[in-house]
Amino acid sequence: MPNVEHSTRIFLIGANGQVGQAWRDLLTDEQLVGAVDHKALDLSQLDELADRLREHLQPHLQPLQQQSQPLVIVNAAAYTAVDQAQDHQQQAFDINARAPGIIADVAANLRIPLIHYSTDYVFDGHGEQAFVESDAPAPLSVYGRSKLAGEQAVAAANGAHLIFRTSWVFGVHGQNFLKTMLRLAQERDALSVVDDQIGAPTPAALLAQVPFDILRQLQEREDPRWGLYHLCPTEHTSWHGYACYLIRQAREMGWSIRVTDDAIKAVDSSEFPVKATRPHNSRLCTQKLQNAFGLTLPAWQSGVDQVLAQLDKQ
Ligand code: NDP
């Protein structure tokens, strides 16, 4: 029996982002049949996107469309500059909504499943409870609206797809909150960190590993489990709780941390004015995903520990 885990082939869009690089770290050369960055496939060039994508896919269509070697497209590219999106609505919608729609149409026509990512920012963040997939979206920002339109465009193409809404992504590659806090904790005597936004810090590696594992269970295009899921670790915290945890762990690992625990001040988000309104509650319920695929997701702290250990080795 062929091992399905090894026979699934991935074509990756957005190869240099945090999540894109996590896919590249996860996959063998045989599993990653193609990986395109911004230069090789520009999602803002909507007129030519479908043709360019089909050209990239063409060499991999035969014989990989055989049942034993399925090909899957992963779209890890996005316009993620949340505040800039407020002033660049057209660009945000082109890359986050129209381009995913075109990618999904190409994928559906070629009968290739598509994995796509979305965000907690599709919700307004009211309340304290974790949002479930069926909760009504009500984005507060252009970025959130563009990502919601992207989800809808992917679903409208009617092909086999998985959309994963996630939150607070971090990893060893790229820029993120964890790396910024680590740097500041080494440079400064005191820090102020927002305490009135809650969510789950999500390691980029989890956003590659879980979808890839799930593909092993999704052999049929008719499987009812294709669709929209929330994917993040269990438990939740605030940005302040996240910063305190990661700084304490780094100190215990021997990093030369300057700031003391007492000097990490919890502040309201009003102290850091930004263009795009963030949800106060970014909690995402992952029960649907865990039930559908028999998964147990880790707590967010273990992802922080792993990334700190990787950064420590570098
Ligand atoms: P990154 O910002 O790290 O990476 C995004 C990638 O998209 C970059 O490699 C970028 O390439 C590429 N990209 C941007 N514009 C274009 C374009 N016109 N054509 C082709 N590629 C383009 O994002 P993440 O890895 O953090 O995010 C992955 C997914 O997760 C996205 O869908 C995002 O919306 C979602 N998400 C992210 C969260 C986060 O905290 N980061 C939270 C919730 C959801 P280049 O660098 O060359 O511009």
Side-chain angles (χ1 to χ4, degrees):
M1 285 286 287
N3 184 326
V4 177
E5 185 183 15
H6 291 291
S7 62
T8 300
R9 301 291 185 259
I10 301 292
F11 182 85
L12 175 65
I13 300 169
N16 290 337
Q18 294 194 84
V19 173
Q21 296 199 63
W23 275 98
R24 287 161 58 196
D25 288 346
L26 175 70
L27 301 177
T28 63
D29 289 349
E30 290 72 35
Q31 289 164 339
L32 187 64
V33 294
V36 287
D37 62 9
H38 202 147
K39 279 194 217 112
L41 189 71
D42 186 344
L43 268 56
S44 68
Q45 300 302 308
L46 299 178
D47 291 346
E48 56 186 46
L49 181 57
D51 287 344
R52 291 288 90 75
L53 177 57
R54 275 191 290 263
E55 282 166 21
H56 280 292
L57 293 170
Q58 193 58 43
H60 311 298
L61 296 180
Q62 300 292 339
L64 296 175
Q65 279 317 91
Q66 291 168 3
Q67 193 68 16
S68 60
Q69 294 183 313
L71 178 64
V72 173
I73 299 173
V74 173
N75 177 28
Y79 186 101
T80 54
V82 175
D83 292 308
Q84 284 176 36
Q86 293 298 113
D87 296 327
H88 297 92
Q89 178 156 331
Q90 171 86 36
Q91 211 183 341
F93 270 79
D94 282 354
I95 296 166
N96 290 345
R98 295 184 188 99
I102 292 168
I103 293 167
D105 281 337
V106 169
N109 286 331
L110 293 170
R111 300 179 67 76
I112 302 172
L114 171 65
I115 292 176
H116 180 72
Y117 296 93
S118 189
T119 169
D120 52 299
Y121 284 21
V122 300
F123 295 116
D124 59 15
H126 288 164
E128 296 278 316
Q129 294 300 311
F131 287 94
V132 296
E133 287 80 352
S134 55
D135 282 334
L140 302 172
S141 61
V142 169
Y143 170 75
R145 289 205 298 279
S146 70
K147 293 295 292 183
L148 177 61
E151 292 180 5
Q152 292 162 346
V154 168
N158 270 324
H161 66 271
L162 291 168
I163 300 171
F164 295 103
R165 287 187 186 140
T166 189
S167 61
W168 301 13
V169 178
F170 70 98
V172 283
H173 305 291
Q175 270 317 305
N176 53 58
F177 178 87
L178 177 141
K179 284 186 173 178
T180 303
M181 283 299 131
L182 264 185
R183 178 174 54 77
L184 294 177
Q186 293 171 89
E187 291 171 4
R188 297 194 186 169
D189 295 320
L191 291 175
S192 295
V193 188
V194 168
D195 200 33
D196 61 353
Q197 291 170 10
I198 55 171
T202 304
L206 191 77
L207 297 171
Q209 186 73 61
V210 168
F212 192 56
D213 287 348
I214 280 175
L215 288 175
R216 272 184 289 176
Q217 295 186 40
L218 287 169
Q219 292 302 292
E220 305 294 333
R221 289 171 48 86
E222 293 69 32
D223 192 310
R225 292 176 298 174
W226 294 102
L228 172 69
Y229 293 95
H230 291 175
L231 171 53
C232 61
T234 59
E235 316 289 329
H236 66 278
T237 184
S238 67
W239 291 109
H240 178 260
Y242 177 17
C244 289
Y245 179 81
L246 78 89
I247 290 168
R248 201 163 49 241
Q249 294 298 100
R251 190 186 298 112
E252 281 176 15
M253 289 169 66
W255 292 62
S256 56
I257 299 295
R258 202 162 143 184
V259 72
T260 60
D261 285 353
D262 293 345
I264 308 173
K265 189 178 157 205
V267 298
D268 280 352
S269 40
S270 57
E271 295 206 20
F272 289 103
V274 282
K275 279 197 168 173
T277 308
R278 270 72 171 165
H280 283 294
N281 176 10
S282 283
R283 294 184 62 199
L284 298 172
C285 175
T286 54
Q287 215 52 55
K288 180 185 172 193
L289 180 69
Q290 301 198 64
N291 291 346
F293 297 100
L295 301 173
T296 304
L297 291 167
W300 64 266
Q301 291 92 335
S302 70
V304 171
D305 295 350
Q306 281 165 18
V307 168
L308 284 176
Q310 284 174 280
L311 290 173
D312 196 40
K313 276 197 215 139
Q314 287 178 358

